[in-house]
Amino acid sequence: MTDESKGKQSLQPVPITVAYGDGIGPEIMEATLQIIKAAGARLAIETIQIGEAVYNRGITSGIEPSSWDSLRRTRVFLKAPITTPEGGGFKSLNVTVRKTLGLFANVRPCLSYSPFVATKHPGMDVVIIRENEEDLYGGIEHRQTDEVFQCLKLISRPGSERLIRYGFEYARRYGRHKVSCFTKDNIMKMTDGIFHKVFEEVAAEYPDIESEHLIVDIGAAKLADSPEKFDVIVLPNLYGDILSDVAAQIAGSVGLAGSANIGSEVAMFEAIHGSAPKRAGQNVANPSGLLLAAVQMLVHIGQGDVASKVHNAWLRTIEDGIHTYDIYNPSVSTEKVGTREFASAVISRLGKKPEKLKAVNYPAEGKPISIRLKERRKQTKQLVGVDVFVEWNGSPESLGKRLEEIAGSDLALLMITNRGTKVYPGGMPETFCVDHWRCRFQAGANGGNVTHEQIISLLSRLVASGIPPIKTEGLFTFDGQPGFSLGQGQ
Ligand code: IPM
Ligand code: MG
């Protein structure tokens, strides 16, 4: 390709899909599009409808099949916030879009704009990169007994690896020096444990970037207290959801943060705040979160020149004290403006740079970060037992005795736990028990492999004895290492 044709190609409008959303969505989207178009964004926009109106037509996902076609066609989605109707049956559209389109990394820059936006942390510049598809967000929940409800937490090695690699690649591309990882692997040794393990493995491939792991409770406390000590943070989904709100809020306001949901094919850009229905239709909402998401989008589609122009004009507007009600503060603000006036103020500053805040300078053209997972050999998996979950309203001893009678010679009852605490054999009378018991069976006295047939026969005997299983979990070893946790107190 000649330089000339390359230049021409980058001037071609890039197809994107836009959704105006609910609540304040339409107003902030209009303001955002107006600004980026005035800055020269080269876009061919397809508009889709999502959210309330679609839910109200009885579509529980909030998005119609034709909209998926648009997203698959354009692969770039600029999305305003939507309202998920209350009450059962409606699924979060955000989560559906992220998971359906494989948007594995949620990138949330949380930056302070001191002294123009009040914050206790003037030096803060943290990018939260949150895993976006797994963890407790699977939404796989069950009521298993009269008393107990369960949500499955699924963390995968490839899911963790692509997110963590993205974090390190992001750090390299944007000149950041450190990647921190927060997990709770002192408790969840297997799920959070694999996330942490993969973090250590990947970190070793980036010796130029500092890395650290913190247990999430103390990590969160340190982030809230001294965010300037952090740079990029990678986290599993739920911790990332919580801590990105904390980080955005202590930087100044959740209302100012944009986010990029990055997949290998498609990417979605949105504000991190919600649809604020109470503020809708009043021309008061701050469009900054969505505008900064649109800046991330412009960088993603290779229009970094336009992204820099928009971002710098926005910084200058903030610095000039032109503020919407949510960040208005008489000591630094010069004018309280509405959504439309704020957009006009940014447009009138296109081409200008901030004088006190740090100006941005995105590469004019650039390819999105792409991630390749490391090849891995599948480990040898062997069945060595089964955890059978049952409902029982008696004592641990009475259940233990019954199960020992039912267990055969090939599968022995090893222990019973209640909410993870060992209660049989040798439980403590103080342990509070509910009606949900995990009963572990393993091969004979010396362990060893068991067969599925042996397990099925055990389950049949349990059903016949009036203790039907709620569910079972196979106990496997992988290359000889147990793939299951032990009971607390075992
Ligand atoms: C976010 C939001 C979403 C989430 C909700 C709306 C499903 O809080 O983008 O952080 O939990 O991920
Ligand atoms: Mg959230």
Side-chain angles (χ1 to χ4, degrees):
M1 195 188 287
T2 64
D3 279 345
E4 204 188 333
S5 63
K6 206 164 136 198
K8 269 195 197 132
Q9 191 189 35
S10 66
L11 291 176
Q12 290 283 321
V14 173
I16 68 163
T17 302
V18 162
Y20 283 75
D22 301 318
I24 57 170
E27 294 159 78
I28 61 172
M29 182 58 85
E30 246 158 60
T32 296
L33 291 177
Q34 210 190 346
I35 297 166
I36 63 176
K37 282 180 189 165
R42 303 173 290 280
L43 304 172
I45 294 177
E46 295 186 9
T47 303
I48 59 168
Q49 199 185 39
I50 54 166
E52 254 177 339
V54 181
Y55 285 118
N56 291 339
R57 286 205 289 277
I59 298 171
T60 55
S61 62
I63 177 165
E64 289 184 357
S66 59
S67 301
W68 290 114
D69 296 340
S70 170
L71 294 174
R72 231 176 267 122
R73 198 163 42 236
T74 67
R75 295 161 179 244
V76 181
F77 186 18
L78 182 62
K79 181 190 140 295
I82 59 136
T83 309
T84 310
E86 293 199 1
F90 298 107
K91 282 178 277 176
S92 161
L93 175 82
N94 281 41
V95 177
T96 304
V97 172
R98 290 171 187 163
K99 292 184 7 173
T100 308
L101 299 177
L103 311 183
F104 62 91
N106 192 325
V107 183
R108 301 185 153 183
C110 301
L111 208 76
S112 65
Y113 306 100
S114 176
F116 308 102
V117 180
T119 172
K120 296 186 182 107
H121 308 286
M124 177 168 181
D125 180 0
V126 176
V127 181
I128 304 265
I129 303 190
R130 154 188 179 192
E131 196 288 313
N132 218 18
E133 301 172 280
E134 319 196 320
D135 194 358
L136 289 158
Y137 273 71
I140 308 174
E141 293 193 289
H142 297 95
R143 179 172 180 178
Q144 296 181 310
T145 65
D146 187 56
E147 294 175 344
V148 173
F149 300 74
Q150 170 190 271
C151 177
L152 265 192
K153 168 157 166 151
L154 296 176
I155 304 256
S156 75
R157 177 179 258 280
S160 305
E161 185 182 340
R162 59 184 188 157
L163 182 271
I164 292 163
R165 279 192 189 282
Y166 189 90
F168 279 94
E169 284 296 321
Y170 181 97
R172 236 182 217 169
R173 163 129 359 151
Y174 294 102
R176 293 189 169 258
H177 69 279
K178 182 165 86 172
V179 180
S180 309
C181 171
F182 295 177
T183 72
K184 191 77 186 173
D185 71 336
N186 53 338
I187 300 297
M188 284 159 279
K189 295 178 200 285
M190 305 207 61
T191 47
D192 283 25
I194 188 65
F195 193 92
H196 182 183
K197 184 163 190 275
V198 171
F199 177 76
E200 300 296 344
E201 288 171 8
V202 174
E205 294 176 36
Y206 293 81
D208 50 318
I209 294 166
E210 206 186 310
S211 65
E212 65 176 1
H213 172 267
L214 291 162
I215 299 293
V216 64
D217 48 1
I218 188 64
K222 287 190 173 168
L223 175 66
D225 183 63
S226 24
E228 64 286 347
K229 296 205 176 116
F230 295 94
D231 195 352
V232 174
I233 308 179
V234 291
L235 308 118
N237 205 346
L238 185 62
Y239 309 144
D241 174 48
I242 298 166
L243 291 183
S244 59
D245 266 24
V246 171
Q249 186 67 15
I250 65 171
S253 164
V254 275
L256 299 181
S259 76
N261 297 261
I262 305 288
S264 53
E265 306 294 330
V266 183
M268 171 171 80
F269 302 85
E270 59 184 348
I272 81 164
H273 61 73
S275 61
K278 279 196 198 126
R279 306 278 178 197
Q282 298 157 43
N283 188 41
V284 294
N286 186 349
S288 299
L290 187 59
L291 183 67
L292 292 180
V295 166
Q296 288 178 290
M297 176 189 80
L298 291 167
V299 174
H300 176 83
I301 62 174
Q303 298 184 16
D305 48 345
V306 188
S308 302
K309 202 168 166 187
V310 171
H311 202 158
N312 284 328
W314 178 82
L315 287 164
R316 181 63 179 265
T317 310
I318 294 296
E319 189 179 274
D320 284 348
I322 319 285
H323 294 166
T324 43
Y325 81 95
D326 53 319
I327 57 167
Y328 183 81
N329 170 0
S331 66
V332 285
S333 306
T334 54
E335 210 184 319
K336 190 193 266 180
V337 291
T339 315
R340 285 193 290 274
E341 296 70 30
F342 183 81
S344 306
V346 177
I347 291 170
S348 71
R349 286 166 179 78
L350 288 168
K352 291 194 178 157
K353 289 197 170 151
E355 287 171 344
K356 298 187 189 87
L357 294 170
K358 197 164 156 246
V360 298
N361 184 17
Y362 299 108
E365 286 186 40
K367 288 220 160 20
I369 293 168
S370 78
I371 298 299
R372 281 191 53 194
L373 298 185
K374 216 169 171 185
E375 300 251 331
R376 247 186 96 249
R377 172 187 69 82
K378 270 208 183 306
Q379 297 186 327
T380 306
K381 180 178 175 188
Q382 271 180 330
L383 185 62
V384 297
V386 65
D387 275 350
V388 183
F389 292 76
V390 299
E391 182 163 354
W392 179 258
N393 288 304
S395 69
E397 288 72 28
S398 60
L399 178 61
K401 294 280 168 313
R402 286 288 302 279
L403 294 179
E404 267 159 11
E405 286 159 23
I406 298 164
S409 54
D410 44 5
L411 270 175
L413 176 70
L414 193 77
M415 64 160 176
I416 303 174
T417 68
N418 194 288
R419 292 177 300 163
T421 302
K422 187 176 162 199
V423 291
Y424 184 89
M428 303 260 203
E430 290 80 7
T431 307
F432 178 70
C433 291
V434 295
D435 62 357
H436 179 277
W437 310 79
R438 186 262 305 258
C439 313
R440 175 161 292 179
F441 296 88
Q442 281 184 284
N446 302 320
N449 295 346
V450 305
T451 64
H452 287 286
E453 288 70 23
Q454 288 171 326
I455 291 176
I456 291 167
S457 149
L458 169 70
L459 298 181
S460 303
R461 295 198 300 275
L462 284 167
V463 173
S465 313
I467 315 177
I470 303 162
K471 78 154 186 178
T472 64
E473 288 285 350
L475 304 177
F476 300 100
T477 58
F478 293 83
D479 282 358
Q481 295 302 311
F484 46 90
S485 60
L486 302 176
Q488 253 155 25
Q490 200 192 8

